[in-house]
Amino acid sequence: RATTTNQQISGTLTAHNGLSQFSMAGWIFRASNGTIQAWGTDETSTNNTSVQLWFDNKVYFNISNGSAAYGVFSPIVTGWNHYCFTFDGSQSGNSNRLKGYVNGLNVVLSYSGTIPSTLSSNVSNQTLRIGRAQSANIWSTGQFAELAMWASVLSSDEVASLGKGFSPIMVAPKS
C-alpha cells in the first residue's frame, strides 16, 4: 500500500505503448470528497493513460492519443474502492472501446473526445506516476493498493473478482 501526500512513486513504462487492448485496475482510498487521487501515465492531457479521482468528485478514465479523450462518471464515494477500466481499440464507438468499473460493477460513462484505437506511443506517455496528476501539476492525497495493468481486455468476470478483493496476480486474462 502506498500513501501519498505531496510525493509520488514514478518510473518509466513503455510496455503499454501503442496497444489496442489494455486494462488498468487498483484500490484507491479517498478520505473526503473534493480531493485528488491519480495514477497512470499522465504527462500531458493529450497523451495520457490514467485513472483520476478529481476535485469535482468525478472519476476520469483517460485514454488520450494526440487529443484529450476520456470516460467520466459520478458520484464518487469515499473510503477504499476498486476502480478499473478496460480498453478495446478494435471496437467502434466510445462506449465499446472504453468501459469503467467500480468495485467490480460496470458504471455508465459519459465521454469527451473520441476514444482512440490505440494507446499513445508518444514519449510523454511513458512516465508512470502514482500520486500525481502531472498534466495539472497537482499532487494526490490518499492511498493506493494492488495497482495493476494488463496488455489485454479484462472480462467482466475478471473485473468482478478484482472488485471482490482477488489479487491482480491471480487474474490471468484469456484474451
Side-chain angles (χ1 to χ4, degrees):
R1 179 185 316 178
T3 301
T4 63
T5 302
N6 293 343
Q7 59 185 336
Q8 69 178 344
I9 298 168
S10 64
T12 301
L13 176 72
T14 58
H16 69 302
N17 284 357
L19 292 178
S20 62
Q21 295 189 331
F22 185 75
S23 298
M24 254 176 105
W27 290 92
I28 301 175
F29 179 81
R30 183 177 226 195
S32 63
N33 287 325
T35 59
I36 284 187
Q37 294 75 40
W39 80 282
T41 56
D42 168 40
E43 195 70 24
T44 70
S45 63
T46 58
N47 290 291
N48 184 337
T49 306
S50 65
V51 175
Q52 297 179 338
L53 287 67
W54 209 248
F55 289 127
D56 62 2
N57 297 322
K58 295 179 181 176
V59 176
Y60 293 82
F61 297 122
N62 298 292
I63 300 283
S64 299
N65 185 355
S67 63
Y70 56 83
V72 60
F73 74 94
S74 59
I76 193 164
V77 293
T78 56
W80 279 107
N81 291 280
H82 188 267
Y83 298 91
C84 178
F85 74 73
T86 61
F87 165 71
D88 188 350
S90 70
Q91 300 297 313
S92 62
N94 286 347
S95 63
N96 293 317
R97 286 186 175 174
L98 179 62
K99 297 185 185 303
Y101 301 83
V102 175
N103 299 324
L105 302 173
N106 186 257
V107 294
V108 176
L109 299 176
S110 298
Y111 297 91
S112 179
T114 300
I115 303 301
S117 60
T118 62
L119 299 181
S120 176
S121 292
N122 190 294
V123 69
S124 68
N125 194 40
Q126 295 180 2
T127 302
L128 173 66
R129 288 188 171 82
I130 301 168
R132 183 162 174 80
Q134 182 68 20
S135 62
N137 194 30
I138 298 173
W139 296 101
S140 289
T141 60
Q143 299 176 45
F144 302 83
E146 302 269 339
L147 303 176
M149 298 176 175
W150 294 263
S152 62
V153 178
L154 295 179
S155 70
S156 58
D157 288 341
E158 290 164 337
V159 173
S161 68
L162 292 168
K164 291 176 185 172
F166 282 78
S167 171
I169 61 173
M170 302 304 291
V171 175
K174 296 175 184 170
S175 61

